[in-house]
Amino acid sequence: MSSVFIDSLFKDNLVGTIINIALLILCLYPVIGAFFWFSGSLSYRFFKTHKRDDDWEIIPVDRQPLITIMIPAHNEEIMIEETITYLFEELNYTNFEVLVMDDGSTDKTGEILAQLRERYPRLRTVKILKNKGKAHAFNIGMYFAKGEYILSNDADTIPEPDALMKYMNFFMRDKDMNTSAVTANMDVQNRTKIIGKAQTVEFSSIVGVIKRSQTAVNDSMYAYSGANTLYKKDFLIDVGGFRQNRATEDISIAWDHQMIGAVPRFAPNIVFHMNVPESIKELYHQRKRWAQGGTEVWLTNIKKFLFHPIKHRYQMSMFIDSTLSILWSFFFMITTVIFAIAMLVFLFTGNYERLFHGFVMSFIFVSFEIIAGFMQLLAALILDHHAAKLKYVIFAPLYMLFFWMVNPITVVMTFIPAVKTIFGFGSGTWKSPERTKMQK
């Protein structure tokens, strides 16, 4: 009888210990994650940096592989002419074509493209009658693309003049034969509003720290940048193209490539200039799409990691972090609601000591998060573009207070739609965000 009691007590203690450890990990996840990205970016800087980041060679015209710059366009009359004109007149690369997939546009996009074709013989267009999404447009474009390399280029993004030359330096050697894609460094160009300045800090954090850390750990990458990635066409065909029913084609294709053993590359020395949302509404819709896309790839691949962990060991860190991120989002939302209810109860029952204690503890915890996050952001701004963006560090508090709150909310809000997508009820139909002219 006593042995049964002892076994039961041991099991209870074991379960309780496991639960406490799990809760502690979830509580500390943002802090640990920030320090991990911080240390990972330093590892990339001192141990992983390849000379091609700073020292790249000019490829003679007779040795330049053909690149197809593919632009999916849905109602892009504001931006399309400016973008295409820039590509043909500013890029320091000769052997390329531009292929525009007119995805069911109902504005003047088609008329503008017809005029541009007369001006630029290397411009080709494909008219898709019904809008079925960016991934669908890419998949159609793959079969019309003449190049052995395909650059995804959004209608509102422009690469630096040497971008194509730098891209190809990542595919030139024998050791690069397993490189599936190279993704570049995003730079926010519409910084006239505070929300744009804050996203400048954010993109430096994502690109400058997280992608460097992922590359430093085991050459993994959560997501390509959909607006500025050069794909080797053969690897797109190997995974069956882009998943057309996913919210984010760039996240899903990155995971698909790595699950077959292909290697993604990050090129911080290649700069793309892009527009970002300038309203809270547009920003929220963008983040919902990103969050849903991240959850979809996690759900798509969870069985592979659980049943074949050794086979996918090099991508395991990516899976673990995605798992913790999703669990923490739910944990954050649930504990926030519980905390708010408890504080209201203490307030209305006159238990001011517990009320004060609750605020002090939350203040201490948030302070640790802010310190860890600030270190991550500071490292990002120093590493990115040789500290050229350091002046935007004053907008870091806005990023940490607002954007960190948006991420768990969007993960929770899009979890059910992501599950529906996995069961075949997803749609890739898209709508272009509000566009503005590129800043000179």
Side-chain angles (χ1 to χ4, degrees):
M1 187 72 179
S2 59
S3 62
V4 174
F5 174 75
I6 293 174
D7 289 341
S8 176
L9 184 62
F10 175 77
K11 290 179 181 179
D12 290 342
N13 288 336
L14 180 61
V15 172
T17 301
I18 293 174
I19 292 175
N20 288 333
I21 292 174
L23 292 175
L24 180 62
I25 292 174
L26 288 175
C27 284
L28 297 178
Y29 169 72
V31 178
I32 296 174
F35 279 113
F36 177 82
W37 302 131
F38 173 75
S39 59
S41 63
L42 296 181
S43 298
Y44 179 89
R45 170 63 180 82
F46 293 107
F47 303 112
K48 196 73 175 183
T49 301
H50 196 282
K51 74 171 189 175
R52 284 174 297 189
D53 286 352
D54 300 309
D55 182 20
W56 50 276
E57 62 181 82
I58 296 176
I59 306 172
V61 175
D62 59 345
R63 290 177 47 212
Q64 292 179 3
L66 177 61
I67 297 175
T68 296
I69 302 177
M70 193 182 299
I71 304 176
H74 175 67
N75 293 340
E76 300 287 3
E77 62 181 7
I78 294 177
M79 295 293 307
I80 196 68
E81 181 174 4
E82 185 177 2
T83 299
I84 291 176
T85 300
Y86 176 92
L87 293 175
F88 280 113
E89 298 186 4
E90 300 295 333
L91 292 183
N92 299 327
Y93 196 90
T94 303
N95 195 20
F96 75 91
E97 64 169 355
V98 176
L99 178 63
V100 180
M101 312 304 298
D102 184 2
D103 193 16
S105 296
T106 56
D107 62 357
K108 297 181 179 179
T109 298
E111 300 173 24
I112 296 172
L113 290 173
Q115 296 171 5
L116 290 171
R117 282 200 303 271
E118 297 179 2
R119 193 190 315 172
Y120 302 112
R122 287 180 292 161
L123 170 64
R124 297 191 296 138
T125 61
V126 176
K127 176 68 176 180
I128 302 174
L129 297 180
K130 185 177 181 180
N131 169 20
K132 292 187 178 181
K134 189 175 179 180
H136 176 260
F138 267 130
N139 286 339
I140 291 179
M142 282 170 49
Y143 296 98
F144 288 91
K146 297 178 180 178
E148 57 182 305
Y149 297 91
I150 297 177
L151 175 68
S152 63
N153 195 106
D154 283 357
D156 66 335
T157 61
I158 56 174
E160 63 168 295
D162 293 324
L164 297 187
M165 201 72 73
K166 291 180 178 179
Y167 269 127
M168 289 314 306
N169 272 255
F170 284 83
F171 293 96
M172 292 171 56
R173 303 207 217 169
D174 292 338
K175 62 185 294 186
D176 300 325
M177 63 182 300
N178 204 34
T179 299
S180 57
V182 179
T183 195
N185 199 344
M186 296 179 290
D187 185 33
V188 176
Q189 69 90 24
N190 53 332
R191 308 174 190 172
T192 54
K193 297 182 179 180
I194 292 180
I195 192 171
K197 291 179 171 65
Q199 287 176 87
T200 300
V201 175
E202 183 189 23
F203 278 111
S204 288
S205 174
I206 293 174
V207 176
V209 169
I210 296 181
K211 279 185 166 51
R212 281 181 172 90
S213 299
Q214 293 164 358
T215 303
V217 172
N218 55 9
D219 286 329
S220 64
M221 193 175 296
Y222 290 2
Y224 299 135
S225 300
N228 51 33
T229 296
L230 184 67
Y231 299 94
K232 194 170 184 178
K233 187 176 179 181
D234 288 345
F235 279 102
L236 291 177
I237 296 173
D238 286 344
V239 295
F242 296 87
R243 294 178 183 262
Q244 296 181 187
N245 63 341
R246 296 297 191 259
T248 50
E249 83 293 336
D250 46 1
I251 299 177
S252 63
I253 194 71
W255 281 62
D256 287 344
H257 275 161
Q258 290 166 93
M259 295 305 282
I260 65 169
V263 178
R265 299 294 184 196
F266 172 53
N269 65 319
I270 305 176
V271 180
F272 260 72
H273 305 279
M274 61 180 293
N275 276 323
V276 295
E278 293 187 307
S279 69
I280 301 298
K281 180 181 178 182
E282 287 287 343
L283 180 66
Y284 179 69
H285 285 306
Q286 181 195 62
R287 299 314 156 93
K288 280 182 64 178
R289 186 172 61 86
W290 289 3
Q292 181 174 338
T295 303
E296 286 171 356
V297 295
W298 181 76
L299 291 170
T300 300
N301 296 288
I302 187 170
K303 286 177 62 177
K304 299 176 184 177
F305 283 103
L306 293 178
F307 292 106
H308 305 284
I310 303 300
K311 180 180 179 181
H312 302 295
R313 61 191 180 278
Y314 294 114
Q315 296 81 36
M316 186 59 70
S317 62
M318 189 170 67
F319 172 74
I320 292 174
D321 185 66
S322 297
T323 303
L324 289 174
S325 178
I326 294 171
L327 292 177
W328 177 80
S329 297
F330 281 92
F331 175 78
F332 173 82
M333 294 296 293
I334 293 171
T335 54
T336 299
V337 172
I338 294 174
F339 176 79
I341 293 174
M343 293 297 102
L344 289 174
V345 171
F346 295 150
L347 176 64
F348 289 118
T349 57
N351 194 345
Y352 301 116
E353 181 179 353
R354 294 293 300 276
L355 183 69
F356 177 75
H357 178 74
F359 276 113
V360 169
M361 293 301 296
S362 62
F363 177 79
I364 293 173
F365 180 72
V366 170
S367 296
F368 274 108
E369 284 193 350
I370 290 178
I371 291 172
F374 186 79
M375 290 180 63
Q376 173 186 337
L377 291 172
L378 187 62
L381 293 172
I382 292 174
L383 290 174
D384 209 27
H385 301 301
H386 304 287
K389 297 180 183 178
L390 191 58
K391 61 184 178 181
Y392 294 105
V393 73
I394 61 174
F395 298 99
L398 178 62
Y399 164 76
M400 287 183 283
L401 291 176
F402 177 72
F403 290 95
W404 278 10
M405 299 301 104
V406 169
N407 290 337
I409 293 173
T410 53
V411 169
V412 173
M413 293 292 291
T414 59
F415 189 82
I416 298 300
V419 173
K420 290 182 178 179
T421 296
I422 300 303
F423 283 100
F425 298 100
S427 172
T429 301
W430 63 311
K431 176 184 176 183
S432 295
E434 295 179 8
R435 302 297 197 197
T436 58
K437 288 287 187 179
M438 297 291 282
Q439 308 276 332
K440 297 297 183 182

